[in-house]
Each structure stands twice: as C-alpha cells, then as structure tokens.
C-alpha cells in the first residue's frame, strides 16, 4: 500500500512539472515571439554586417548621430521588416512555435525535475553535479525530440515575402523541407543544438544557485502576521535569478545559435557543423559567431525570466493547493 502511494505521488509530481513547464513555455513564447524573429533574422547569413558593439547607445548619443544608416542592427532590421513585409512578419513561425513550445518545455522540465530527484539520491543533494547532469540530460532529450518543429519555425522566420502577400503555412513549409532534403532535412542544426546544451547547463547551474541564495532569507512577518515570503515575492526573485543566469550563459554559449540558424537556412551553402564553423570564420571572422547577440539578449533574457518564474510559481501554487 505504501509503495502504491509513493508511486502515485511520483506520477503526480511528473504531471505537475509537465503542466507547469508547458504552460510557462507557452506564456513566454506569446510574450516574446517578435523578438525571436528579429534574433533569427540577425543570425542569418543574409545580413552579413557585424553588429554594433553592445555600448552602441552611449556611442551614438555622444556623437549625436541620427542617420538611419547608423542605427543599431536590431532597429534597422525591425524597420526593414515593418516597411517591406508588415507587422505580421514579426509573428512568422508562431504556429510551430506555439505547437512545439508547450511539449518541449513540458518534456524539459519533467526530465530535469525527474533527473534531479534521482541524482539527489546518488550525489550530494542539489550540488553542481546534480544540476549539470540534470540540465544536460533534459536538454539532450528535448533537442532530439523537438528539432523537426524548430527547423520548420526557423525556415518560416527566415522566409522573406512582400508586404500584404500570403506566406506559407506550417504544413506547406514542412512539405517543402521534406521535398528538399527528405527526413534528414528536419534534423538540420541538431548538432549545433547539442553543443547548445552547454549553454543550458551553465544557465541552470547559475539559476539554481541564485534561486537558493535569493529565497533562503530569514522568514519575516508583516504587521498582520502574514509571511512576507509570499508566492508573488518569490515570483520576482525567480525572474531575477533566471534573467541573470541566462544573460551570463548567453555570452559563453551563444555561437551555437548562429551555427544552428545557418544550418537551417535554405540552400546548401552550410552543409555540416564543422564546415559551417570554417565558413563563418573565413568570411566574417570571430564577430560572425556573435551576430545578433544584442537581439538574442533582448529576446532570451526576458523569455527565460518569464518561463522559469512562471514555472516555479505554478509548481509552488499547485503544491500548496494539493497540500
């Protein structure tokens, strides 16, 4: 009877993390979809102009330059999209993104949580080793399962079209990829995604440490005797921890994003991971691997903050509700 209760609790815990991860991922995707389109466009080889330095705002303000030719790349690409393609383009690829983000986040958080629970019984609980292995294994499983949908999404985001014209839908894009490269076409960029697991591992390791540091504060009571460490207070703590963790991890692991986008482009210029590394290094130099970093930070930092804090809040609220 006891073993049945334990089994039921484990199943309930897995479903809880699946639901929380799926809901959080969907919410984050809806909030930041236009920023992701800008980021993907900037990573593409079609915009082979190096990004301005991250201190562009101070640079341009000091020189009082207002010419549109001196605008930051993010602003120029946004302006070009709105003028040539229209507002709808900022939501290109939103269909497969919405279809895929809930199951991908659900699978990731469920795998991460389950791996962490299992490894806590083998290694020192909540140690760096536990967080690194958990994040790495969850990233491997999620990338392998979801790459076909992310391939379709990237192709749709990169596709140019005239303003007012009708773009291809998810099914048409999938059919075109299959006709072009067969089943293997849906797995282009997967090697780069595997390299990106390193970035995810860094992000989650930093996040877990920051979360622990921010939430392990002495409990204090308000004037009416209620606990100040409420769910809403923890929500903002989780968001801050997630945003800082993602920002730090992005600087280290960002090049894989550019490599993945290039491998998913239409055509055969970029054929393999190593060949793409060589081409970018030869044609664009070191800065080529950091194209679109500014847009990546503008998109990924708030997205990660929203997703992780929403996930943590849902898990916390549902656990309290069941208790």
């Amino acid at each position: 009877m006891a073993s049945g209760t334990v089994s039921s609790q484990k199943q309930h815990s897995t479903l809880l993390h699946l639901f929380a991860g799926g809901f959080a991922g969907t919410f984050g995707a809806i909030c930041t979809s236009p920023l992701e389109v800008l980021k993907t466009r900037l990573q593409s080889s079609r915009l082979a102009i190096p990004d301005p330095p991250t201190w562009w705002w101070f640079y341009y303000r000091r020189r009082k330059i207002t010419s549109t030719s001196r605008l930051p790349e993010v602003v120029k690409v946004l302006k070009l999209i709105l003028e040539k393609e229209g507002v709808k383009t900022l939501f290109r690829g939103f269909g497969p993104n919405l279809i895929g983000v809930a199951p991908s986040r659900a699978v990731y958080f469920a795998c991460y949580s389950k791996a962490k629970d299992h490894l806590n019984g083998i290694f020192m609980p909540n140690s760096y080793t536990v967080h690194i292995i958990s994040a790495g294994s969850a990233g491997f499983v999620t990338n392998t399962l979801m790459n076909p949908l992310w391939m379709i999404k990237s192709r749709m985001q990169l596709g140019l079209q005239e303003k007012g014209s009708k773009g291809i839908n998810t099914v048409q894009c999938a059919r075109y990829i299959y006709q072009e490269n067969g089943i293997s076409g849906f797995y282009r960029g997967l090697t780069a995604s595997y390299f990106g697991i390193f970035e995810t591992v860094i992000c989650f390791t930093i996040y877990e440490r920051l979360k622990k540091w921010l939430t392990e504060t002495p409990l204090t009571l308000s004037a009416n005797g209620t606990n100040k460490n409420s769910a809403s207070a923890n929500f903002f703590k989780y968001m801050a921890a997630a945003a800082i963790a993602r920002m730090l991890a992005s600087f280290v692991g960002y090049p894989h994003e550019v490599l993945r986008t290039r491998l998913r482009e239409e055509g055969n210029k970029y054929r393999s991971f190593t060949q793409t590394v060589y081409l970018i290094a030869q044609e664009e130099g070191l800065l080529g691997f950091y194209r679109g970093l500014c847009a990546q930070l503008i998109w990924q930092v708030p997205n990660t903050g929203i997703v992780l804090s929403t996930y943590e809040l849902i898990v916390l609220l549902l656990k309290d509700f069941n208790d």
Side-chain angles (χ1 to χ4, degrees), residues 201-237:
V201 167
I202 294 172
C203 178
F204 267 78
T205 303
I206 296 173
Y207 170 70
E208 291 285 2
R209 290 292 145 181
L210 285 174
K211 183 178 76 171
K212 184 178 180 182
W213 180 70
L214 288 171
T215 55
E216 283 187 350
T217 53
L219 295 177
T220 54
L221 299 178
S222 62
N224 59 4
T226 58
N227 184 6
K228 283 186 178 180
N229 287 347
S230 61
S232 59
N234 282 331
F235 177 81
F236 290 107
K237 289 178 181 179

Side-chain angles (χ1 to χ4, degrees), residues 1-9:
M1 186 73 178
S3 61
T5 304
V6 172
S7 176
S8 176
Q9 287 176 343

Side-chain angles (χ1 to χ4, degrees), residues 180-193:
E180 184 184 36
N181 296 110
I183 294 295
S184 63
F186 292 101
Y187 289 91
R188 290 184 66 174
L190 182 57
T191 306
S193 291

Side-chain angles (χ1 to χ4, degrees), residues 45-323:
S45 61
R46 291 172 179 170
L47 295 168
I49 305 169
D51 281 340
T54 54
W55 36 265
W56 62 266
W57 189 83
F58 301 100
Y59 178 84
Y60 289 117
R61 180 168 182 174
R62 183 163 58 88
R63 285 164 174 73
K64 297 181 180 179
I65 297 173
T66 57
S67 170
T68 56
S69 64
R70 296 298 184 90
L71 287 172
E73 277 298 288
V74 178
V75 179
K76 283 198 284 187
V77 172
L78 176 61
K79 186 172 181 292
L80 192 65
I81 288 174
L82 293 176
E83 288 179 351
K84 302 292 184 182
E85 302 177 67
V87 177
K88 286 184 179 180
T89 300
L90 294 174
F91 292 90
R92 293 284 296 277
F94 185 65
N97 198 17
L98 202 58
I99 294 168
V101 73
S104 72
R105 293 295 186 179
V107 168
Y108 185 91
F109 282 114
C111 288
Y112 180 77
S113 176
K114 203 165 186 63
K116 193 166 70 168
D117 289 342
H118 177 71
L119 293 169
N120 277 336
I122 301 174
F123 302 101
M124 183 183 294
N126 294 315
S127 63
Y128 283 113
T129 303
V130 170
H131 295 152
I132 288 171
I133 298 175
S134 299
S137 58
F140 181 85
V141 172
T142 306
N143 284 328
T144 304
L145 290 175
M146 303 306 301
N147 199 80
L149 264 177
W150 300 154
M151 173 64 187
I152 295 170
K153 178 187 72 173
S154 295
R155 277 292 181 88
M156 292 180 71
Q157 289 174 341
L158 291 170
L160 301 176
Q161 66 181 68
E162 291 296 322
K163 193 172 184 177
S165 63
K166 188 177 180 181
I168 62 172
N169 58 37
T170 303
V171 175
Q172 290 171 328
C173 185
R175 188 183 297 122
Y176 181 80
I177 292 171
Y178 180 76
Q179 291 172 348
E180 184 184 36
N181 296 110
I183 294 295
S184 63
F186 292 101
Y187 289 91
R188 290 184 66 174
L190 182 57
T191 306
S193 291
Y194 286 153
F195 274 86
I197 292 173
F198 179 62
E199 179 184 342
T200 305
V201 167
I202 294 172
C203 178
F204 267 78
T205 303
I206 296 173
Y207 170 70
E208 291 285 2
R209 290 292 145 181
L210 285 174
K211 183 178 76 171
K212 184 178 180 182
W213 180 70
L214 288 171
T215 55
E216 283 187 350
T217 53
L219 295 177
T220 54
L221 299 178
S222 62
N224 59 4
T226 58
N227 184 6
K228 283 186 178 180
N229 287 347
S230 61
S232 59
N234 282 331
F235 177 81
F236 290 107
K237 289 178 181 179
Y238 295 145
M239 182 175 285
I244 293 168
R246 174 53 67 184
M247 183 178 293
L248 295 174
S250 292
F251 282 109
V252 178
Y254 180 74
H256 91 274
E257 294 267 357
V258 176
L259 292 167
R260 184 173 60 195
T261 297
R262 298 294 177 91
L263 284 164
R264 288 174 176 172
E265 285 182 6
E266 189 174 352
N268 296 312
K269 180 179 179 179
Y270 302 103
R271 298 185 298 275
S272 68
F273 182 83
T274 52
Q275 181 254 1
T276 303
V277 171
Y278 175 78
L279 267 183
I280 294 175
Q282 188 180 50
E283 296 176 356
E284 302 170 51
L286 182 62
L287 286 178
F289 294 102
Y290 287 89
R291 284 193 43 72
L293 176 59
C294 182
Q296 168 76 358
L297 293 174
I298 293 172
W299 166 67
Q300 189 67 280
V301 170
N303 179 270
T304 304
I306 291 168
V307 170
L308 288 179
S309 55
T310 302
Y311 164 76
E312 297 279 9
L313 183 63
I314 291 172
V315 170
L316 184 65
L317 290 174
L318 290 180
K319 277 186 175 179
D320 289 343
F321 176 77
N322 287 319
D323 292 342

